[in-house]
Amino acid sequence: MAWTIAIAADAVQIAAFPLFAEGGISPADSLLDIVVGFFMIRLLGWHWAFLPTIAAELIPGADLFPTWTAAVWFVTRQQRNADVSYDASYDVSYEADSKSPSSEPEILPPGPAPAPRR
């Protein structure tokens, strides 16, 4: 969904260039960027890649470059790489029926704290 919104926003800005030529002082450009930025943050969460995108949208003529599409590509690429590296580093060597305490501390994956052992 984020990809669709980003590509559509960039396509509108390129196709309707006369409406968006003024950059940040164009009301149509500002409104479109605010709406797209809101949806990107709601769909993908806050990411630093959105700041340069918003700054580039303020520059007249910079709307010819697909900045929203590039930002979504960057954010989703980083999220995908983080998921892959997390899965690759997760080691399932815990045996549930092992009663002997180990000399090494138990390392838990990131997430909410487990219930305390009693």
Side-chain angles (χ1 to χ4, degrees):
M1 184 64 149
W3 277 101
T4 305
I5 293 171
I7 291 170
D10 288 333
V12 166
Q13 288 178 333
I14 291 170
F17 178 69
L19 292 175
F20 301 101
E22 296 94 16
I25 60 173
S26 168
D29 186 46
S30 299
L31 180 65
L32 181 67
D33 290 335
I34 289 169
V35 170
V36 172
F38 172 77
F39 281 116
M40 290 300 120
I41 292 171
R42 293 286 291 171
L43 291 171
L44 299 174
W46 170 252
H47 196 279
W48 289 105
F50 296 139
L51 285 179
T53 300
I54 293 170
E57 294 291 337
L58 296 174
I59 301 169
D63 293 333
L64 294 176
F65 181 76
T67 52
W68 287 113
T69 305
V72 169
W73 174 79
F74 184 76
V75 171
T76 56
R77 187 178 130 256
Q78 282 201 333
Q79 287 175 349
R80 186 191 61 188
N81 288 345
D83 291 343
V84 169
S85 66
Y86 174 74
D87 290 342
S89 66
Y90 185 71
D91 182 23
V92 186
S93 60
Y94 175 74
E95 294 181 20
D97 47 82
S98 173
K99 302 290 182 188
S100 63
S102 176
S103 61
E104 296 183 23
E106 179 181 4
I107 299 174
L108 300 174
R117 294 183 185 176
R118 294 183 191 234

